[in-house]
Amino acid sequence: MELYKLKSLEELMESVNYGIDIEFFVYGVRYDISWRNNKPFICVCPDGKAVFYDTPELMFENYKINGKPLKDIWQDFGIYSM
């Protein structure tokens, strides 16, 4: 399966800020970034527990995968759907 690679962190952040649901694979695990009750969240797909943040920026600074914040590993994301 050919997964889409993002061109920039700004492209990703704009998509999240617009409320676009994003499913991606990173390091062999599928994740979902979405919104509920006016707050962005991230979870492992399909049944992971959602972790909510007040802003997308806080999510990208504080949510870590393999000890690294999302803002530092976005280049490794393979976008499954947007």
Side-chain angles (χ1 to χ4, degrees):
M1 164 184 356
E2 185 76 21
L3 298 175
Y4 176 72
K5 289 290 191 175
L6 296 162
K7 294 176 180 66
S8 68
L9 179 57
E10 290 77 29
E11 177 186 13
L12 178 57
M13 294 300 294
E14 283 178 9
S15 298
V16 174
N17 277 312
Y18 287 139
I20 296 171
D21 287 347
I22 302 168
E23 286 189 35
F24 64 95
F25 285 90
V26 65
Y27 312 136
V29 178
R30 189 169 125 204
Y31 292 86
D32 177 52
I33 293 176
S34 191
W35 288 77
R36 190 178 318 139
N37 299 326
N38 294 318
K39 291 193 175 204
F41 70 87
I42 186 168
C43 64
V44 174
C45 288
D47 297 319
K49 180 175 170 51
V51 180
F52 288 86
Y53 290 90
D54 288 331
T55 67
E57 292 78 14
L58 287 172
M59 179 185 348
F60 277 79
E61 290 173 17
N62 295 305
Y63 189 84
K64 294 182 177 159
I65 298 173
N66 291 352
K68 297 177 184 172
L70 295 177
K71 68 182 177 95
D72 292 344
I73 60 170
W74 67 269
Q75 304 94 327
D76 297 336
F77 292 7
I79 303 299
Y80 179 69
S81 71
M82 271 177 95

